[in-house]
Amino acid sequence: MSTRASGRTVGGLRSLSLQAPAVTLLLIWMLIPLGMTLWFSFQRYNLLMPGMEQFAGLENYRYLLTDPALWSAMGTTLVLVGSVLAISVIGGTLLAVLYQQEFFGRGIARVLAISPFFIMPTVSALVWKNMMMHPVNGVLAWFTGLFGLPAIDWFSSYPLLSIIVIVAWQWLPFALLILLTALQSLDDDQVEAARMDGAGPVAVFFFITLPHLKRAISVVIMIQMIFLLTIFAEIFVTTSGGPGLATTNLAYLIYIRALLEFDVGGASAGGVIAIVLANIVAIFLIRMVARNLEE
């Protein structure tokens, strides 16, 4: 008995010693940037005034929380994340059902549908800005010209909608990939039995396919929401947060504070607020996914 206990203890210590370097490195990788962000958030620290740093207490947070730009950026972030999630989940579900069907060239069609996800965000934004939405040389301007309609300057007239389209175009294939993979495990006998009982395509979709995809949809929402909270490249390349603050989300507002206004203290306070919001969202989403996995 004691020999077994001793063996388990030695094995546990050996396993812990092997894991310790990786865990230590991960903690250092996480805690040092977080600690520096917290430290600077309590400092009055502007890069244009070197040597004049001083402790500011909660002044950076007070200024940021009373700044209308913060609430505008949070509203823009909410609209952007919610819109892209809706497009990705609904569109990804419908496309997954479509690409699950047998048709000629299905393999090539699947590869083409998934490929936008592997394009870098900056490249994707440049393609849409200069080749698709350009008011003179863009594909959309050429298409509207076929019907005698005037060209639309998308990034001036509909800036937030343009960003939503670009981001959704890139993240829709991710949802399609996850949902299509989940759809592979759907029992064909169950679908065939429902059809023999008289269920049409709509009934099969809502009562068999959609419940089967419930867990996969939860995973898609969790992963995408975490990444969508940090959208930056698409905004930087296309609108630079404008016109005004129309496309300035929380991540871009932090960039403006840090690298355009050189206010490291204010940007760090914004970073802390973003971390708190991201963790609240993550906790909520993890609980939702865990609840779906238990069902």
Side-chain angles (χ1 to χ4, degrees), residues 14-254:
R14 186 182 296 113
S15 176
L16 183 61
S17 65
L18 293 174
Q19 296 174 5
V23 174
T24 302
L25 179 61
L26 181 61
L27 288 175
I28 294 174
W29 188 273
M30 295 170 55
L31 294 179
I32 290 180
L34 178 60
M36 293 182 64
T37 302
L38 285 171
W39 169 257
F40 282 120
S41 70
F42 294 109
Q43 303 294 315
R44 186 178 292 110
Y45 185 16
N46 194 297
L47 295 176
L48 297 179
M49 297 182 292
M52 299 182 63
E53 301 84 5
Q54 58 180 327
F55 182 74
L58 298 176
E59 181 180 341
N60 290 323
Y61 292 95
R62 182 190 60 79
Y63 174 78
L64 196 61
L65 292 173
T66 56
D67 186 3
L70 174 66
W71 302 106
S72 174
M74 292 181 66
T76 301
T77 303
L78 181 63
V79 172
L80 182 59
V81 172
S83 300
V84 174
L85 276 178
I87 295 173
S88 299
V89 172
I90 297 174
T93 302
L94 296 178
L95 288 176
V97 174
L98 173 63
Y99 285 113
Q100 179 68 4
Q101 310 302 317
E102 291 285 348
F103 59 89
F104 177 75
R106 184 177 67 170
I108 298 177
R110 285 180 174 180
V111 173
L112 293 176
I114 295 172
S115 58
F117 178 67
F118 301 101
I119 300 176
M120 291 184 294
T122 50
V123 176
S124 173
L126 285 172
V127 168
W128 278 92
K129 180 180 180 180
N130 297 319
M131 298 181 64
M132 298 297 296
M133 293 181 170
H134 195 280
V136 177
N137 302 317
V139 173
L140 296 180
W142 170 81
F143 183 76
T144 55
L146 293 177
F147 299 94
L149 300 175
I152 300 174
D153 190 348
W154 290 92
F155 295 108
S156 296
S157 302
Y158 308 101
L160 186 56
L161 176 61
S162 302
I163 299 296
I164 291 172
V165 170
I166 295 172
V167 178
W169 178 80
Q170 188 170 15
W171 280 97
L172 177 60
F174 173 79
L176 169 61
L177 180 63
I178 300 298
L179 297 175
L180 185 59
T181 303
L183 208 55
Q184 305 296 317
S185 61
L186 180 60
D187 190 0
D188 292 335
D189 294 337
Q190 185 180 5
V191 176
E192 188 63 28
R195 290 175 177 171
M196 292 179 64
D197 289 338
V202 176
V204 170
F205 174 77
F206 281 103
F207 293 102
I208 296 179
T209 304
L210 205 56
H212 178 76
L213 293 176
K214 184 178 179 181
R215 295 180 179 179
I217 290 175
S218 300
V219 173
V220 169
I221 292 175
M222 181 182 68
I223 296 176
Q224 284 199 8
M225 182 170 289
I226 294 173
F227 281 95
L228 292 176
L229 288 172
T230 61
I231 292 174
F232 175 81
E234 294 86 347
I235 298 174
F236 178 79
V237 171
T238 56
T239 63
S240 297
L245 296 174
T247 56
T248 299
N249 64 347
L250 190 54
Y252 199 83
L253 180 65
I254 295 172

